[in-house]
Amino acid sequence: MVIYYIKLACLSLWQTRSLSILAILIIAVGISATMTTYTINYMMTKDPLPSKSDRVFLVRLNNWSPEAAYRNRAQERPPTYLSVQDTVNLIKQNKAQGHIPIAGFKDMLKLPEQGAIDAEMTFVRATSRDFFSSFEVPFLYGSEWPQSVDENGEQVVVLSKKMNQTLFAGENSIGRSLMLGDHQFKVVGVLDDWFALPRFYGDSMRAFKAPRDIFVPFQTQINLELWTSNLQSYECWKEPENTTVAALWASECVWVFFWVELSDKAQKPEYLAFLNAYVQEQQALGRFQRPIINELQTAAEYMQERRAYSSDSKIAVWLAGCFLVLCLLNAMSIIMTKFQGKAAEVALRRAVGASSFDLVQQYTLETSIIGVLGGVLGLIMTHICLYVSSQLYTHLSKDIMSMSVELMLATVILSVVSSLLFGLFPIIRAIGVQPAKQLKSL
Amino acid sequence: MKDFLPILKSLKSNYIAALLFITQVAITFTILVNAIFLALEKREVISRPSGLDEHNIFYVATNLPVKDAEKKALLEQDLLRLNAINGVTSAAVSTGLPLTGWGRLVEVATKPDTKYDTFSGYYGGDAQLVKSFGVELIAGRHFKKEEELTARVDGYKIASEAMVTKALAKSLFDESWEQIVGQTLYINNKPQRIVGVVKTLQSAWPSWVVVEHGVISAVKETDGIVNFVIRTESGVPTSVVDQTLSYLMETHGRKIDKVEMFTDVKARAYSAENAASKTLLGVIAGLLLVTTLGIYGQSRYGIVKRFKLIGIRRAMGASKGEIIRYFMLENVILTCLGVILGIISAIVLSVAFSNVFELGTVPMSYMIYGSVCTLLLGQVAVFYPAFRAAQLPPAVATRIV
């Protein structure tokens, strides 16, 4: 019976092909507008670490001038980053499962055999081995550096897949060397494809850019005194003793983002108590002369506070949603027109014994075929729109403009459900004809 | 107008189709007005002047690869040599450039030892910086060469003179902003005499609330990376860029951190706004297309259904013009109802947006223009079906079911 209905539906679609194609097109346009904006918004605002969102925290200590609150805010909040000495101290105390300092510098990168002219200015991320395990970064070759490297600050690097492609033509480069400025570094690991979206762990202004391509141990940056003044924001309430980098390291200037991974949610109060105790200890030494308002902030809270999420994408979703409703209303009136022309057929079928339920079934099938075709076409158009967006939105990482399988499935389902919903009314109208009256006029 | 009552009666008998039509017009109107408003708002942000002579400026970020004690001398030599390059109008050193996303900010107060009155962007450079930026002086005077100082970092701490932007002067002195010349301001609690006011100079962050606030002081900084701001005569010829770089690379240990045209800096700074406004324009185009198709389809449907009626009216002596007029008037009535509903929902949506996303509300003039456009759109879409209907011979029309 179903096969017979499908045959009938196809026949009917073919008979009214121009109207059917119009309905399919209009549904597809609406679906693709909605799904494109929704995909972008979804990728931008999704939880970057779903499995650990409640146990990975940004550490904020209230290290600021005794005279004024940080940024003179009415409601005092601690800075979002720490000084080098506090970062080093907290890592040494080793109270959390993972300690992830986020620092970095810029330097000229080249292979040892290349000349100075081939060197490229490269952004380097300085962090710890816990970065890779806590943020679930996949490795292609090798692994993160061992614990001892973090403690001693040895000259090793982890490369991204892209950087490994550029430098070593994509081959297993473990054990090879490269030069960063005047220092030689040994490759210990190469990452697999990794998209951190949004890239929550650093400067919120760059949350939708790709991660950096080269990682070195934080302690190595400290030991080698590598510092780039115009790379990250840094704030000082007290001048460093003198102009050397060593003095900057020892100063109260704050610039290192410091994340911790705790073993579970329950450890949060415990770790906060530890931080407060640490600050009290430091107060005894004459530092931290402000109220203790330390904070442990989740990635989502941090992004929210820094307004990393632009409202544009949300507005676009709203507008596209309205647009979809409009398209569906349009499709509804087209389907109504289609069925109107079939009043005689309906009357004939009713007269020879078809129940109204039979007819509902048949027309529902026809509408769902329109929905499925609209959804599939919409999916194709969504991909085209996303491609165009990735060319247009140069300030966003290309990885935002990609759809997961769930989203693709959702697209088709949205199309079918909404066209069924909006097609129901025309169907009910269509089967409501009076058989006798219609037949008479034939 | 004698058609008015029959139209209302026929709408009443077919109220579902009419309601569908009105809803569509209302939704179209709502999206149209809000999308155009948002798109134009973005355009306005993009077209704000930075204050610089945008098309004739590029900058080079580089280091001074000598010992701290020799940096001042090297910087001065660099400036002399860069100014001497053929085609360079003016070259200067600066702590930063507008819209680059990386810069300094200072607290500004009119009285000592009080909390700040406002924030401002900060640029420090040599006496020629204002000229190299191409910023227009509107009150007071330029820096004099002898006022120029050199610091390692944080030049505002040793400066004694400063220039401010008009926006900053206005925020402190309202309409009597010109009086700021000669006054003393406290920049990060350090007293500085204001010698001049420039028209516009944006700060480093385009989305900052006080992006138009700027303080300039004549203090060169030598630490880390310095920015050479180079202004040329018309456009930036590649030969000037090449000569600049080849001169800079003569010094051993020089690292070129960045070379960028200012037009590229600006395009990058506003890429989000630009993309958003283009997307909105795409939405508007799609919207108009779908709505026109929709109105066309519905009018056609409504007319086909009433072929018999048209035939009878024609047979009774109605002219073709009267038939066309009937359907056009029907369209006007429906569109007007849709627009009224649309104005209400557009206001609701706009207020909701402005509450949630901190945007301005759509001004009334948009509603008026939007209504006129929607009405025209409806008339255009209905004309062809109405025209076709009028061409129908009465004899044929009365026979059709």
Side-chain angles (χ1 to χ4, degrees):
Chain A
M1 206 56 177
V2 174
I3 294 171
Y4 174 63
Y5 281 159
I6 291 176
K7 217 170 111 185
L8 273 184
C10 291
L11 203 68
S12 150
L13 284 174
W14 179 248
Q15 275 170 354
T16 54
R17 51 190 170 276
S18 52
L19 279 180
S20 308
I21 289 172
L22 199 62
I24 291 170
L25 260 178
I26 286 178
I27 291 177
V29 168
I31 291 283
S32 69
T34 312
M35 288 314 288
T36 307
T37 49
Y38 183 76
T39 303
I40 294 175
N41 188 50
Y42 170 81
M43 296 301 273
M44 281 175 87
T45 54
K46 73 173 183 171
D47 189 344
L49 268 182
S51 59
K52 295 182 175 174
S53 51
D54 57 353
R55 58 194 183 92
V56 169
F57 297 101
L58 177 69
V59 176
R60 296 174 64 168
L61 304 180
N62 196 16
N63 180 10
W64 205 249
S65 152
E67 275 109 49
Y70 175 61
R71 299 217 170 150
N72 277 317
R73 286 202 189 98
Q75 205 212 333
E76 187 171 356
R77 299 283 302 267
T80 48
Y81 21 49
L82 307 188
S83 64
V84 170
Q85 47 174 328
D86 291 322
T87 312
V88 171
N89 288 345
L90 291 177
I91 295 176
K92 273 207 188 112
Q93 303 251 12
N94 198 20
K95 286 282 194 280
Q97 189 183 322
H99 301 88
I100 309 120
I102 300 291
F105 56 93
K106 261 195 303 194
D107 218 327
M108 305 300 280
L109 170 72
K110 68 182 190 71
L111 295 175
E113 56 271 22
Q114 282 177 320
I117 196 87
D118 294 321
E120 293 246 10
M121 188 56 91
T122 310
F123 291 72
V124 181
R125 173 65 68 215
T127 183
S128 69
R129 72 192 297 269
D130 296 334
F131 176 91
F132 305 99
S133 53
S134 293
F135 296 165
E136 297 171 343
V137 189
F139 274 87
L140 185 63
Y141 303 120
S143 68
E144 61 262 50
W145 49 79
Q147 186 73 45
S148 60
V149 168
D150 268 338
E151 284 156 17
N152 306 331
E154 288 164 34
Q155 284 161 241
V156 297
V157 294
V158 167
L159 301 178
S160 72
K161 194 176 177 184
K162 194 175 107 204
M163 184 57 86
N164 190 49
Q165 189 69 39
T166 321
L167 290 176
F168 302 107
E171 59 191 57
N172 187 343
S173 57
I174 306 300
R176 303 277 295 267
S177 294
L178 52 82
M179 301 293 294
L180 266 173
D182 304 325
H183 304 285
Q184 185 156 346
F185 283 77
K186 203 175 88 187
V187 180
V188 294
V190 175
L191 301 183
D192 206 345
D193 289 321
W194 176 56
F195 319 112
L197 277 177
R199 204 190 61 179
F200 61 94
Y201 53 78
D203 182 359
S204 57
M205 296 257 288
R206 302 176 62 85
F208 300 105
K209 309 254 187 202
R212 294 185 190 172
D213 290 315
I214 177 159
F215 299 84
V216 303
F218 174 64
Q219 194 60 46
T220 311
Q221 177 179 11
I222 299 303
N223 290 358
L224 296 178
E225 301 189 348
L226 300 167
W227 169 248
T228 315
S229 64
N230 67 346
L231 179 61
Q232 60 266 306
S233 42
Y234 67 103
E235 294 174 76
C236 309
W237 59 268
K238 196 167 114 191
E239 281 305 292
E241 297 260 320
N242 55 51
T243 62
T244 60
V245 176
L248 178 69
W249 287 174
S251 72
E252 298 289 2
C253 293
V254 288
W255 62 281
V256 183
F257 291 96
F258 185 61
W259 296 81
V260 287
E261 182 190 358
L262 305 180
S263 51
D264 58 60
K265 205 163 80 180
Q267 212 200 327
K268 186 181 172 186
E270 194 185 311
Y271 196 77
L272 200 56
F274 157 70
L275 286 178
N276 292 343
Y278 168 77
V279 170
Q280 276 161 0
E281 206 176 278
Q282 294 293 317
Q283 277 179 336
L285 299 172
R287 300 178 63 219
F288 287 98
Q289 300 299 321
R290 289 208 67 79
I292 300 181
I293 46 164
N294 303 328
E295 280 183 39
L296 284 176
Q297 206 170 25
T298 65
E301 285 165 357
Y302 169 64
M303 298 288 282
Q304 202 74 49
E305 188 193 326
R306 300 310 306 257
R307 294 163 183 266
Y309 305 128
S310 126
S311 56
D312 287 350
S313 60
K314 269 196 206 107
I315 292 176
V317 173
W318 272 96
L319 287 179
C322 293
F323 185 54
L324 176 64
V325 172
L326 179 77
C327 289
L328 288 170
L329 282 175
N330 250 314
M332 182 163 151
S333 65
I334 290 170
I335 294 172
M336 231 147 98
T337 316
K338 234 164 85 86
F339 287 164
Q340 183 78 27
K342 286 208 259 197
E345 185 196 315
V346 173
L348 196 61
R349 291 202 56 204
R350 289 293 300 276
V352 294
S355 72
S356 52
F357 182 67
D358 290 330
L359 288 168
V360 168
Q361 269 188 325
Q362 190 201 325
Y363 289 136
T364 306
L365 203 71
E366 195 175 329
T367 326
S368 29
I369 290 177
I370 293 181
V372 170
L373 290 177
V376 172
L377 189 65
L379 193 61
I380 296 170
M381 285 166 68
T382 307
H383 277 281
I384 297 172
C385 288
L386 283 174
Y387 176 75
V388 174
S389 306
S390 73
Q391 303 297 312
L392 198 61
Y393 287 73
T394 46
H395 63 294
L396 299 179
S397 160
K398 299 254 183 293
D399 304 324
I400 291 175
M401 319 293 170
S402 59
M403 282 183 107
S404 58
V405 179
E406 293 90 353
L407 281 176
M408 292 197 212
L409 216 62
T411 310
V412 179
I413 291 174
L414 175 68
S415 166
V416 175
V417 169
S418 51
S419 50
L420 276 182
L421 211 62
F422 279 76
L424 210 60
F425 180 69
I427 292 171
I428 291 169
R429 292 261 298 181
I431 59 168
V433 295
Q434 299 282 329
K437 206 171 143 198
Q438 274 293 338
L439 286 173
K440 218 169 26 177
S441 65
L442 273 178
Chain B
M1 271 301 138
K2 65 179 166 44
D3 287 337
F4 197 73
L5 273 179
I7 288 174
L8 286 187
K9 274 184 188 154
S10 89
L11 287 182
K12 203 178 145 204
S13 70
N14 194 11
Y15 66 96
I16 302 260
L19 271 181
L20 203 59
F21 188 94
I22 292 171
T23 322
Q24 279 192 43
V25 172
I27 295 179
T28 305
F29 183 84
T30 308
I31 310 178
L32 192 70
V33 169
N34 275 288
I36 290 181
F37 173 68
L38 291 173
L40 290 183
E41 213 173 45
K42 299 278 170 209
R43 285 270 138 223
E44 209 170 290
V45 169
I46 296 170
S47 62
R48 285 185 314 201
S50 63
L52 267 57
D53 182 10
E54 293 175 1
H55 295 280
N56 302 326
I57 285 177
F58 75 103
Y59 82 100
V60 184
T62 184
N63 61 341
L64 296 169
V66 287
K67 283 196 215 87
D68 275 357
E70 297 158 21
K71 283 192 171 178
K72 184 176 176 225
L74 178 64
L75 181 61
E76 266 153 25
Q77 185 202 328
D78 283 349
L79 285 171
L80 267 178
R81 289 285 299 271
L82 292 177
N83 269 304
I85 291 173
N86 197 7
V88 170
T89 314
S90 174
V93 66
S94 172
T95 54
L97 271 93
L99 309 180
T100 48
W102 201 93
R104 310 274 178 83
L105 66 91
V106 288
E107 290 166 5
V108 182
T110 47
K111 293 187 183 68
D113 298 324
T114 51
K115 251 179 104 174
Y116 64 98
D117 290 316
T118 183
F119 285 107
S120 165
Y122 169 80
Y123 300 101
D126 56 313
Q128 275 212 51
L129 180 61
V130 174
K131 204 177 140 208
S132 298
F133 272 158
V135 182
E136 196 186 324
L137 184 79
I138 51 170
R141 61 167 175 87
H142 283 284
F143 290 122
K144 291 179 190 142
K145 189 71 188 165
E146 60 268 22
E147 287 167 349
E148 198 178 294
L149 297 168
T150 307
R152 200 184 69 85
V153 287
D154 298 339
Y156 51 82
K157 286 183 182 150
I158 63 159
S160 50
E161 286 88 17
M163 289 170 86
V164 294
T165 59
K166 186 179 165 187
L168 177 58
K170 264 187 141 169
S171 87
L172 297 171
F173 288 84
D174 295 321
E175 283 316 305
S176 53
W177 57 269
E178 276 177 70
Q179 287 176 10
I180 201 170
V181 177
Q183 301 261 12
T184 301
L185 283 192
Y186 293 83
I187 313 286
N188 280 6
N189 272 326
K190 166 91 176 61
Q192 293 182 22
R193 203 164 51 86
I194 305 306
V195 298
V197 180
V198 296
K199 194 172 168 202
T200 319
L201 179 60
Q202 289 187 324
S203 69
W205 311 277
S207 52
W208 200 25
V209 198
V210 290
V211 62
E212 306 288 341
H213 287 190
V215 171
I216 316 163
S217 66
V219 183
K220 312 193 285 286
E221 293 181 22
T222 57
D223 190 48
I225 300 288
V226 298
N227 301 292
F228 288 115
V229 181
I230 295 160
R231 184 172 169 206
T232 57
E233 257 142 35
S234 53
V236 178
T238 42
S239 64
V240 173
V241 181
D242 291 344
Q243 283 180 65
T244 306
L245 293 183
S246 66
Y247 161 68
L248 288 174
M249 288 313 284
E250 280 171 20
T251 313
H252 178 73
R254 183 87 74 174
K255 291 179 195 169
I256 303 294
D257 190 40
K258 215 178 244 171
V259 186
E260 212 173 10
M261 303 297 142
F262 188 74
T263 44
D264 294 339
V265 173
K266 193 168 182 183
R268 188 158 44 84
Y270 291 123
S271 59
E273 281 78 10
N274 201 5
S277 81
K278 277 186 185 147
T279 310
L280 285 168
L281 289 179
V283 167
I284 293 166
L287 183 71
L288 291 180
L289 187 73
V290 168
T291 309
T292 317
L293 279 178
I295 294 180
Y296 172 79
Q298 287 211 28
S299 317
R300 180 109 187 98
Y301 166 64
I303 289 168
V304 168
K305 255 178 57 184
R306 282 179 286 181
F307 265 174
K308 206 168 185 172
L309 183 132
I310 298 165
I312 293 168
R313 281 201 63 198
R314 292 277 284 130
M316 302 289 282
S319 71
K320 286 181 184 177
E322 273 171 326
I323 301 290
I324 296 179
R325 207 166 57 225
Y326 177 90
F327 287 112
M328 305 264 284
L329 186 63
E330 186 187 71
N331 183 275
V332 169
I333 293 169
L334 288 176
T335 315
C336 279
L337 288 174
V339 165
I340 291 167
L341 201 62
I343 288 177
I344 297 168
S345 64
I347 292 173
V348 170
L349 190 73
S350 152
V351 168
F353 275 175
S354 69
N355 285 343
V356 180
F357 303 117
E358 299 173 11
L359 295 165
T361 46
V362 180
M364 254 355 249
S365 60
Y366 280 69
M367 303 289 177
I368 295 163
Y369 291 129
S371 316
V372 174
C373 288
T374 315
L375 272 174
L376 280 178
L377 188 77
Q379 291 295 292
V380 169
V382 81
F383 181 76
Y384 182 69
F387 177 76
R388 282 281 301 276
Q391 302 306 311
L392 211 65
V396 179
T398 40
R399 252 188 287 135
I400 298 173
V401 181

